[in-house]
Each structure stands twice: as structure tokens, then as C-alpha cells.
Amino acid sequence: MATKRTSREATISDIAAAAGVSKATVSRVMNGVATVNEEIAQRVRATVAELGYSPSATARSLSLGESRTVGVVVPDLANPMFHQVLHGLNRAAERDGYRVLVADTQEHSDAESETVLDIRNRTDAIALFAPRMSREKLLELLPNISPVVVFNRTTGKRAGAVLIDYADGIGQVARHLIALGHTRIAYLQGPPQARSNMARQDGLDLVSEEHPDVDIVGVPCGSAFEDGYGAWPAVRETRATGVIAFNDVVALGFLGRLSEEDVRVPEDISVAGFDDIPFSRYSSPSLTTMTARLGDVGERIWTTLLAQMRGEADLEPTMFAPELAARSSTGAAR
Amino acid sequence: MATKRTSREATISDIAAAAGVSKATVSRVMNGVATVNEEIAQRVRATVAELGYSPSATARSLSLGESRTVGVVVPDLANPMFHQVLHGLNRAAERDGYRVLVADTQEHSDAESETVLDIRNRTDAIALFAPRMSREKLLELLPNISPVVVFNRTTGKRAGAVLIDYADGIGQVARHLIALGHTRIAYLQGPPQARSNMARQDGLDLVSEEHPDVDIVGVPCGSAFEDGYGAWPAVRETRATGVIAFNDVVALGFLGRLSEEDVRVPEDISVAGFDDIPFSRYSSPSLTTMTARLGDVGERIWTTLLAQMRGEADLEPTMFAPELAARSSTGAAR
DNA sequence: TTGAAAGCGCTAACAT
DNA sequence: ATGTTAGCGCTTTCAA
């Protein structure tokens, strides 16, 4: 018959009316409940196809009391390190029949809490990546968004937590350079408010204590390509022979600058990054960095989330230990 | 009926009861409707804070008939070119009071349509990035998910469409190499089913016709770093002096390999990419590539979506013309 | 096997 | 200014 061309989408009532059955029957057909006369089921399916009906997930979620969807809030989708974690999380969630919805706050930190709440209120749980959020705000937020797992933040068991041992990791890089004979090392600092930067500082402080003969000097930098690129003058001033960047992105930006300045790596200067983003293997020279099994991190975030949803909340933080991936950008001190 | 959960979240009814007012009043307070006695409003707010209440976005969406949320479905969140588009889309949507939710299908193409439908059924509109979906499937899907805008696909005005002129773009790169004296050019092909790869082929065919003296030879490759990295033997065999990669990621992988093989760029071989991802500026040598105003593309996707939501559907496709960004990886033919 | 009806949590007439 | 009520689109109990 004449297909409705109105603006409104078809609803279950439309299908029920058109097929001459009740809403309950349509619902049963849509959900594959077996107890429906095959002839009627056929008719319903035909009507569904004809009217291009697909059930409102919103109404379904409200009725069921769950959406089978989890939210992920990240500060910047462009950060390659998130991708690997997201990938693991996505795969694991999918395996258990859940959908992952990602919201990018674009470092827009004042609206961050609001975004998190909104996402949480349309999903069953949330994974929170908020490296810059103040601890105060975080702790205020957590009780209102459970089930929740935070990445790389401590919560005093107020929420699930999965973290990477940055302090230990950066220590490994530093010792790697020291073993290569470097005694003057520059650290290209990340954003001062970032927890991951603080952890790295702590790790370097420890190394400094162990090696009084080694100078580790901090250079204010950032977390983007251009920050690394722009750090060269400051680094040159330190006369460091080894450079540890906040992350691979910074290291690669820095490497790009060194190439322009005809500074040889690692002959003149050694450079190391952190995170082992996919590209770090393919830079020239390939980048020495810290690698963590980020896919597993994502998977772990998922299992922690799922446990909470099932009421088996285990709020003991999980710590992942990164490993050194020594490649061509580091060598003996000149 | 909904299954009762053990530790239920506070609802508007709980607040109403606890504050001794009606649900309507709570609703008014939550939505900042002015006509509420300040004293009562205070009491409601106190109760809200005490019980940690925040309204169910699901229920709200159902009642309002809109979620003020749009979905974006992408095949692979790790692709840097999407980020710039997403960023523009995100900013524009936020400006108009909408939230963007991203779902990554992880190239899992059989479940792609299902994902798209599901997302669409919990949002007000959808932006679809599905370069590999067959045209048949796409056309079948479109009528059921309107309002929708597709990226880099034609739909015969069945949906909004925003595209980048890949055929023209790749032509510009090819002519750039030809102008530099290259007469044997290898094209590192993208995934065969990708529409963007087909468009590039078309563009190159056109150049071939214009320049019978120039050989453009296709080399099966892919869209990832490792594909570019692995393409070297095949490229060497072509004896090409200029290489055009499917995209920057492939070009950078290829560049990494050339560096390992001690092939000089651009002295021995010129390399060009496509997309102008942020890193292409910082590679060594910096990468010649095609740049498009991807932020504007994202913004345009948004305005097209919004127009459709307002019923002012303009289904004329918008085409963006990319421009050459000539950098250091291309030079005169040897 | 099928349908009627209640209810998920919220908003918005409409009444008071 | 506040409350009552109907209803958004779905699922599910209960009856038939």
C-alpha cells in the first residue's frame, strides 16, 4: 500500500496496526521469540521491511533498563596511544555483546564533567580517560557515574582503575641511556597538569638519586608534534647528549627538527619516546621507546567494567609494566 | 516490564518524594525553568546533590523525541585523516548544542549496517564513513537512517554527501612529479574495494591519457604503515623514480623502509602521499602530499546534517578540492 | 499463541 | 507557582 512519507519514523504501533497484530507480537518477532506462529511472523517481517521500521534503541533501553552500550570519554581522539587501548576495549566489549560509544572532549576541560555525566546517562557504564582533570573534580564525579573505570588515575578504590607504570617506564629509558654512557639527559616535559607527566617526573627523580653523576634536566615542552619540533633550541642549550620525550609524538616532532638541523641521530644525540605508537617503528631512525601491551590494557578496562556491572566490583587497581623497545634512535654517547 | 536492579539509581520520583514536591517541579528545577519558587528550588537542588541524582538521558530523549546527539560511524579510529574531519564536525556540532558519539566498526564490515542502524536509533542523525561498504548495501541502508550524511561516497541524492576530489587531487600529485621530470611513476594502491582508491585510479588514468610518454604503474599495496613498508621490493622492480602512495600513512611506512635501505629521498626516488596528516610535516624528509581543509569538511558534514534535521534537506553533494603541499620528499628525477 | 495493560524515567499540556 | 496526567516507544507480565 501507499508507503507513508511523513517525517515521523515508523513505530512498533504502526507495524502492529499495519500487520493487524498487537505490539506484543511485533516485539516478539523483532526479538526472535520463538512462540510466534510462523505465518504471522512472516506478515510482520514483511510489514517491517515495507515500512523500513527499526526499533528505537532509546525506547528499548528505557524499557529494558539497560542499553548494552558503554561510553568512553577521551580528551583527544587524535592521540595514537588511545587507539590501541580503544581497539582492545572495543574488541572485548563486542565479544560480550556490548557496543562502545566514544566521546571526544577535545581538551575542553570545563565541560568535561558534564559530558561524562551525559554519556553515562545514556550508557550502562563508562571508561574515563581524563589525564588533566583535577583530582578534586574526579573524586566528585566518580560516585555519580558508577560503574566506571578510569585510565591512568588513582582513585583510592572509589572506582575501577587500570594504569601504566609510567614512573617505572621512564626509569627504564633513563637507565638505558645511562648504560649507553649518557650523563647529561634532557627530559621534554609533557603538560604540567597531566598525571602521566607527574608520574614520569617521579620516575626520573628516582633515577637522579641513584645516579648522582648523571644530570637529568627538564625542558618545558608539551604533548604534540610541534612541541617536540620547537624544543630544539632549549635542548641544545642543555648540552644534553640524550633526550627523553614525554611521548612518541613529541619525540617524532623533535626528530623531524633534528633532521632539518642536520643533527645526526643517534651519533650526535640520542632520542627516546614513550608509548610505542605504530609510527615509531617507521621513523628514520626508528624510535627507541617504551612499549606496553595497550590492547591488553583496553581489554582489562573492559573486564573491570563488566565485573562492576555484574556487581562483582573489584576496585583493586591494575598496573601494567611497560618494556623498553630499543631501536635505532639511541646509541652510545658521543 | 523492566527488570528490577538491586542498587537502583535515583530517579526523578525519588527526588520528588524526598523533597516533598511533584516530579514536574523537579523537572522544572533540573531544566532551569524560571517559574519555581526559589525556596523550593533550593530544597530540590539539595536533595539532588544528596542523592547524587542525574536525569536519565535515555528517558529524556524518549520523552523529548530527540537526543541532541549525532552518531558518527567510522571504519577505523586509528586513521589520522578522520581525526581532522571529526574535530571540525565535533566543534561545529558542539556550537549548535549537539553531542557527537563515535562508533568504530573496526573494519568489521559484515556487522557494519547493524551498527549504523543501532547508533542511528539512539541519536538524531548520523555521519557515515564507510569507504568499503558496497554500493548496494549502502543504498539499502540509507533510506532507513535519514538524516544521514555520507563521507566520500555518492548516493544519487539519496542522502547528504560531502566528498574530497580524490581524482583531481591525485592528478595534481602526478603532474607535480611529471613536471619534475619523472616519466616512470609507481602508484601504491589502496584497498581495492575502497571508493577512494577507485577515485584515485580514475584520476591517474586521466593523467596517463594526457601524458602518453609517462608510465604510471600500479603496485598492490594497502592503507597501513606496514603496507608501505613492505612495498619496496615491488616498487624497485618497477624502476620508477617517483612514487605516489595511496595515503600518507602508506607513504611514511614506505619512507621508513627507504631509509633502512639507504635509498635517498628525493635524490634517488621521490615520494608523495595524500591527506596531509599532521605527522607528514615532521617526517624526514618532510612529505609532499595533498592537503584538504578537513576541518571544513567536518564542519560541512555538520551543517548538512543540521539542515536535514530541520527539514531543509539539500542533497546536492559538496565537493572539496585538495591542494598540493609540495615538501621535501619530491624532487627532480634522477 | 496472542493481546491488553502496566511501567521504564522523563516532559509538557492542562488544571488548579 | 505547583500538581495531575498523558504519553514518548518499547518490553513483559498476566489473562484469555
Side-chain angles (χ1 to χ4, degrees):
Chain A
M1 294 287 94
T3 334
K4 282 209 173 174
R5 295 200 64 101
T6 66
S7 50
R8 204 173 58 89
E9 316 249 313
T11 71
I12 195 171
S13 299
D14 299 330
I15 304 301
V21 299
S22 72
K23 295 191 295 171
T25 297
V26 177
S27 176
R28 287 191 269 257
V29 172
M30 294 306 293
N31 294 293
V33 174
T35 67
V36 177
N37 181 300
E38 182 52 25
E39 198 180 328
I40 294 187
Q42 296 275 349
R43 195 163 77 231
V44 169
R45 278 192 283 268
T47 310
V48 164
E50 192 190 343
L51 301 193
Y53 167 70
S54 74
S56 157
T58 303
R60 210 152 181 284
S61 297
L62 183 60
S63 184
L64 290 172
E66 66 168 12
S67 62
R68 292 243 137 199
T69 286
V70 297
V72 178
V73 176
V74 299
D76 175 18
L77 223 29
N79 185 335
M81 91 142 300
F82 292 148
H83 300 150
Q84 310 177 60
V85 180
L86 277 178
H87 194 78
L89 172 48
N90 229 333
R91 282 185 59 84
E94 183 180 316
R95 194 221 302 118
D96 288 329
Y98 278 75
R99 172 109 44 218
V100 174
L101 257 26
V102 184
D104 182 350
T105 61
Q106 304 190 104
E107 314 264 7
H108 201 298
S109 53
D110 31 322
E112 203 173 21
S113 294
E114 195 195 342
T115 301
V116 172
L117 267 171
D118 182 288
I119 303 302
R120 174 61 186 85
N121 283 324
R122 50 181 92 244
T123 56
D124 297 343
I126 204 160
L128 180 56
F129 298 66
R132 318 265 219 279
M133 184 183 283
S134 71
R135 183 170 176 85
E136 191 183 13
K137 271 197 182 175
L138 181 66
L139 294 188
E140 186 189 324
L141 192 56
L142 288 179
N144 300 320
I145 57 175
S146 161
V148 55
V149 170
V150 299
F151 174 67
N152 269 341
R153 301 283 308 234
T154 56
T155 68
K157 304 204 181 180
R158 270 167 275 238
V162 175
L163 25 187
I164 292 170
D165 196 338
Y166 285 133
D168 173 78
I170 205 95
Q172 291 185 49
V173 187
R175 290 186 196 96
H176 166 70
L177 288 177
I178 291 169
L180 287 168
H182 297 269
T183 54
R184 206 162 170 76
I185 296 172
Y187 168 54
L188 302 184
Q189 299 165 331
Q193 337 84 292
R195 313 308 289 195
S196 52
N197 183 57
M198 303 180 192
R200 285 167 172 86
Q201 292 282 17
D202 292 347
L204 291 176
D205 289 349
L206 216 64
V207 173
S208 283
E209 282 173 30
E210 284 171 26
H211 297 270
D213 51 315
V214 173
D215 271 353
I216 302 184
V217 359
V219 174
C221 187
S223 60
F225 286 124
E226 48 269 36
D227 298 321
Y229 184 86
W232 168 237
V235 169
R236 181 175 43 194
E237 220 159 79
T238 66
R239 313 190 57 76
T241 59
V243 172
I244 301 175
F246 171 66
N247 65 21
D248 285 356
V249 169
V250 168
L252 291 168
F254 185 67
L255 234 39
R257 177 64 169 271
L258 293 185
S259 156
E260 284 183 23
E261 305 279 348
D262 287 320
V263 178
R264 295 166 307 163
V265 179
E267 292 82 356
D268 297 329
I269 196 164
S270 286
V271 177
F274 207 116
D275 287 345
D276 193 21
I277 68 175
F279 186 66
S280 59
R281 275 185 160 64
Y282 301 102
S283 63
S284 49
S286 61
L287 185 65
T288 291
T289 186
M290 290 303 299
T291 186
R293 302 195 325 284
L294 295 180
D296 294 353
V297 169
E299 168 136 20
R300 179 67 184 152
I301 291 177
W302 171 248
T303 56
T304 309
L305 230 30
L306 189 60
Q308 278 185 52
M309 290 194 261
R310 291 181 172 154
E312 315 154 357
D314 171 13
L315 302 181
E316 201 64 45
T318 309
M319 184 83 103
F320 280 77
E323 284 172 23
L324 183 72
R327 297 205 270 250
S328 317
S329 65
T330 48
R334 73 173 131 76
Chain B
M1 212 182 301
T3 3
K4 283 269 183 183
R5 311 189 65 169
T6 43
S7 83
R8 211 172 48 93
E9 315 248 310
T11 72
I12 196 172
S13 299
D14 299 332
I15 304 300
V21 299
S22 74
K23 293 191 297 171
T25 295
V26 177
S27 176
R28 286 191 270 258
V29 172
M30 294 307 292
N31 294 295
V33 174
T35 68
V36 176
N37 179 301
E38 182 53 25
E39 198 179 327
I40 294 185
Q42 295 276 347
R43 196 163 76 232
V44 169
R45 277 192 284 267
T47 311
V48 165
E50 193 189 340
L51 302 194
Y53 167 70
S54 75
S56 156
T58 303
R60 212 156 177 280
S61 297
L62 183 61
S63 184
L64 289 172
E66 65 168 16
S67 62
R68 292 240 137 202
T69 286
V70 297
V72 179
V73 176
V74 299
D76 174 19
L77 223 29
N79 185 334
M81 91 142 300
F82 293 147
H83 300 149
Q84 310 177 60
V85 179
L86 276 178
H87 194 77
L89 171 50
N90 229 333
R91 282 185 59 85
E94 183 181 317
R95 195 222 300 120
D96 289 329
Y98 278 75
R99 172 114 40 219
V100 174
L101 257 27
V102 184
D104 182 350
T105 61
Q106 304 189 107
E107 313 266 6
H108 200 300
S109 54
D110 33 320
E112 204 173 21
S113 294
E114 194 196 341
T115 302
V116 172
L117 267 171
D118 182 288
I119 304 300
R120 173 63 186 85
N121 283 323
R122 49 182 92 244
T123 57
D124 297 343
I126 204 160
L128 181 56
F129 297 66
R132 317 262 220 279
M133 184 183 283
S134 71
R135 183 171 176 84
E136 191 183 14
K137 270 196 181 176
L138 181 66
L139 295 187
E140 186 189 326
L141 193 55
L142 288 179
N144 299 319
I145 57 174
S146 160
V148 56
V149 171
V150 298
F151 174 67
N152 270 338
R153 302 284 306 236
T154 57
T155 68
K157 303 203 182 181
R158 270 167 274 239
V162 175
L163 25 186
I164 292 171
D165 196 338
Y166 285 132
D168 173 79
I170 204 95
Q172 290 186 49
V173 187
R175 290 188 196 95
H176 165 70
L177 288 177
I178 292 169
L180 287 168
H182 296 269
T183 54
R184 207 165 168 75
I185 296 172
Y187 168 54
L188 303 185
Q189 298 165 331
Q193 337 85 291
R195 312 309 287 195
S196 53
N197 183 58
M198 303 181 192
R200 285 167 172 88
Q201 292 280 21
D202 292 347
L204 291 176
D205 289 349
L206 215 65
V207 174
S208 283
E209 282 174 30
E210 283 172 26
H211 297 270
D213 52 315
V214 174
D215 271 352
I216 303 185
V217 1
V219 174
C221 187
S223 61
F225 287 123
E226 48 270 35
D227 298 321
Y229 183 87
W232 168 237
V235 169
R236 181 176 40 194
E237 220 158 77
T238 66
R239 311 191 58 77
T241 60
V243 173
I244 301 176
F246 171 66
N247 65 20
D248 285 356
V249 169
V250 169
L252 293 168
F254 186 65
L255 234 38
R257 177 63 170 271
L258 293 185
S259 155
E260 284 183 22
E261 305 279 349
D262 287 320
V263 178
R264 294 165 308 162
V265 178
E267 292 81 357
D268 298 328
I269 197 164
S270 285
V271 178
F274 207 116
D275 288 345
D276 193 21
I277 67 175
F279 187 66
S280 60
R281 275 186 160 64
Y282 301 101
S283 64
S284 49
S286 61
L287 186 66
T288 291
T289 186
M290 290 303 299
T291 185
R293 303 196 324 285
L294 296 179
D296 294 352
V297 169
E299 167 136 19
R300 179 68 185 152
I301 291 177
W302 170 247
T303 57
T304 308
L305 231 28
L306 190 59
Q308 278 186 52
M309 290 195 261
R310 291 181 173 154
E312 314 154 358
D314 171 12
L315 302 182
E316 201 63 45
T318 309
M319 184 83 105
F320 280 76
E323 283 172 23
L324 183 72
R327 297 206 270 250
S328 318
S329 65
T330 49
R334 71 173 131 76

